[in-house]
Amino acid sequence: MPVPTIRRAGRLTVALALILAACTLSAGTAGSEPRPAPASTAATLPPDDFYVPPGTLPDGEPGDVIRSRKTDPGTPTPRALADTWQVMYRSTDALGKPRAATATVMVPKGGAPASRPVVGWGPGTQGPAFRCTPSRLIAKGALYEQWVINAMLEAGYAVAVPDYEGYRPAPKTTYMVGRSLGPALIDAVRAAQRLPAAGLSADAPVVFRGYSQGGGAALWAGEFQPDYAPELKLKGIVAGGVPGDLMEVALPLNGRPGSGFLFYALIGLDHAYAELRFHDVLNDAGRAMVADLEAGGCALEMINKYGNKPLSTYVTRSPLVDPPWVARYTENTLGRTPKIKVPVFQYHATQDALVEPHQADALHREYCAQGVPLTWKTYDTTGRPPVADHLWPIQAANAEAMRYLADRFAGRPAASTC
C-alpha cells in the first residue's frame, strides 16, 4: 500500500519525539495521562562486562541462568512496583545452537512471588547498538514501552523482558529473525522461573505479549512452545503490529520513512546466517552505514538519519531476491505450520508505515484456518503521520490487551472472531 513520506528531516525528528512522548506514561499509575519523553531514548551508557558471554557456555538447558544481578529501573514507578534483576541465560539461536542471551526479570513487590502469573514481554525495535539494549534502557529509565510493563506489574504479573540475541559491547543482534526471537522470549520466561531470588513458580501460568518486533516474538514463541518448551503453562498470546512475512514488510519500507528498519533487518539476518554475506554487496556508503548503526544507532537514529533512503544508496546490487536470502525470509515467515495451541489476540493499525497491514491480516486468516482461537482487531490510524500510525495501537489497544491477559490467567473461555 502507498505510504506517504515526510520530506523534511526536521519535521520527522519532531514527529518521532512527540510519538515517543505519546507512548510514555507518567511515573504515577498506569492510567495516568501521557507525559513528554526525553528527546533521546538511549543516551550513552558506560561499558558493561555483564553482557559479555562466557567463552564456553556452562553445561545446562535452555533457560538456565548463567549469571544475574539485582538492579534498579531508572524511573520511580517500576522501582516502587517491582524487584528487578538482570539475567544472562542459555538460549538457542536461529540455527538451533546454544547461545547466551540477557533479559530483565521484574517481580511485583509484596505478596507471594510463587503465586504470580508470568508475562513474557517482547520489546519492540530498539536499535542495533549496544546502548539500545532493552535491559540497559530499563535501567536508565529510557525504554519507550516501560509504561506497558508498569501496567502489567500493577496488575500483579511478573514480567520477563528479553534483550534478544546479540546485545553485547560488540553487538551482533539478530533483528527480525523469528527463529531466534521465539527461543529468546521463551527462555527469558524460563530464566525468570529458575532465578532463585525471584521466587517464581515453575508451574506459573504464562502469557506471551509484545508489539511490532515484540509481537512477532510473541507469536514465534507461541509456535515454538509446544515442541521447545512443553512444560510451560502457556495460557495465551497477545501480539500487535506483527511483521509476519518479512518480504511483504520489507518491500514497502524501501526509500520511505522506515527504510532504516529495512537496513537493520538485513543486518540482523546477516548476523544470524553466515551464508548471506551482506558485506559482499555493500558499497563504501553501505559499510559506513552498518558501522554507524552498530556503533550508536537506536530507533531515533534509524528514522532521522536513514529514513527515506533507498537501499540502492548502500549496495552494489540488491540482495532481496537472491535465493539464499529468499530461503531465510521464507524460513522466518510466521504461520507456515500449525503449532499454536492457545488463544491469540492479534491486532494491527489500518494504516502502518512500518509494518504492512495486509500481511498481518493474511497471517490472522492463516491462523484461523489452522484452528487457532484468535481474536482479530484493527485500529483506525487514517490520517496519522508515518511512524505515528504504527506506534499508536500500542496505546489504543492496551486496555483490551490487559483484559485479555486477565481472562487468560483466570481461565475464562476465549472468544474468537475467526
Side-chain angles (χ1 to χ4, degrees):
M1 61 184 288
V3 181
T5 60
I6 295 177
R7 299 181 184 276
R8 294 167 58 188
R11 288 175 60 194
L12 189 56
T13 303
V14 172
L16 184 60
L18 291 174
I19 292 160
L20 291 174
C23 291
T24 304
L25 290 185
S26 72
T29 66
S32 304
E33 290 300 313
R35 68 169 185 177
S40 171
T41 60
T44 301
L45 291 167
D48 192 337
D49 290 342
F50 179 86
Y51 293 87
V52 178
T56 301
L57 287 183
D59 292 339
E61 300 296 328
D64 284 355
V65 176
I66 297 170
R67 64 175 69 117
S68 66
R69 64 183 180 186
K70 193 87 183 314
T71 187
D72 285 319
T75 48
T77 298
R79 285 202 302 270
L81 288 172
D83 292 309
T84 302
W85 295 265
Q86 293 172 344
V87 297
M88 177 178 283
Y89 58 95
R90 285 180 61 104
S91 192
T92 305
D93 70 10
L95 299 174
K97 298 178 181 178
R99 288 288 184 270
T102 52
T104 299
V105 175
M106 308 185 78
V107 179
K109 293 182 177 180
S115 69
R116 302 286 187 189
V118 180
V119 178
W121 169 258
T125 304
Q126 307 300 323
F130 180 46
R131 73 190 185 104
C132 318
T133 307
S135 60
R136 302 187 87 209
L137 296 182
I138 291 171
K140 188 175 176 60
L143 188 77
Y144 63 81
E145 301 159 319
Q146 183 66 56
W147 64 275
V148 184
I149 297 171
N150 293 349
M152 294 186 287
L153 295 172
E154 285 193 324
Y157 311 144
V159 183
V161 186
D163 294 331
Y164 307 129
E165 182 188 347
Y167 276 112
R168 54 183 187 259
K172 296 290 183 182
T173 59
T174 55
Y175 179 61
M176 296 310 304
V177 179
R179 293 188 170 276
S180 173
L181 297 176
L185 181 54
I186 289 172
D187 293 329
V189 170
R190 284 168 152 169
Q193 293 175 309
R194 296 174 193 176
L195 180 65
L200 300 173
S201 171
D203 294 321
V206 172
V207 167
F208 300 135
R209 182 185 178 189
Y211 188 81
S212 193
Q213 179 191 13
L219 288 176
W220 275 109
E223 290 197 5
F224 266 87
Q225 181 269 330
D227 296 328
Y228 184 74
E231 83 284 0
L232 285 187
K233 306 301 188 291
L234 186 63
K235 302 300 181 182
I237 300 168
V238 176
V242 176
D245 186 317
L246 296 189
M247 181 61 82
E248 293 294 327
V249 172
L251 293 177
L253 291 176
N254 192 21
R256 292 176 174 166
S259 53
F261 294 82
L262 168 60
F263 308 151
Y264 184 20
L266 296 175
I267 294 168
L269 284 157
D270 184 62
H271 286 325
Y273 303 110
E275 80 275 10
L276 298 183
R277 303 180 64 84
F278 187 34
H279 277 259
D280 287 358
V281 302
L282 292 172
N283 58 24
D284 288 345
R287 287 187 287 273
M289 176 268 292
V290 171
D292 179 55
L293 283 175
E294 295 198 321
C298 294
L300 283 169
E301 289 77 18
M302 288 165 59
I303 293 180
N304 293 339
K305 195 168 183 178
Y306 295 103
N308 298 312
K309 301 286 181 66
L311 179 61
S312 59
T313 303
Y314 301 107
V315 297
T316 57
R317 62 176 179 81
S318 174
L320 291 177
V321 295
D322 285 354
W325 286 86
V326 173
R328 293 307 189 183
Y329 303 148
T330 303
E331 186 177 319
N332 285 277
T333 297
L334 282 163
R336 293 178 58 80
T337 55
K339 288 287 186 180
I340 292 179
K341 307 298 183 186
V342 297
V344 173
F345 173 37
Q346 185 188 350
Y347 60 97
H348 211 96
T350 56
Q351 171 184 295
D352 190 330
L354 297 186
V355 180
E356 205 282 326
H358 293 118
Q359 56 83 40
D361 185 30
L363 176 62
H364 114 257
R365 294 177 186 277
E366 180 59 39
Y367 281 145
C368 284
Q370 294 174 7
V372 176
L374 185 144
T375 299
W376 167 254
K377 184 167 183 177
T378 58
Y379 289 86
D380 187 5
T381 50
T382 304
R384 294 186 180 274
V387 185
D389 56 9
H390 175 67
L391 290 176
W392 170 246
I394 304 175
Q395 187 165 333
N398 188 57
E400 189 161 356
M402 290 297 294
R403 287 193 294 271
Y404 200 84
L405 291 180
D407 286 347
R408 301 291 74 74
F409 286 137
R412 300 183 186 102
S416 173
T417 59
C418 290

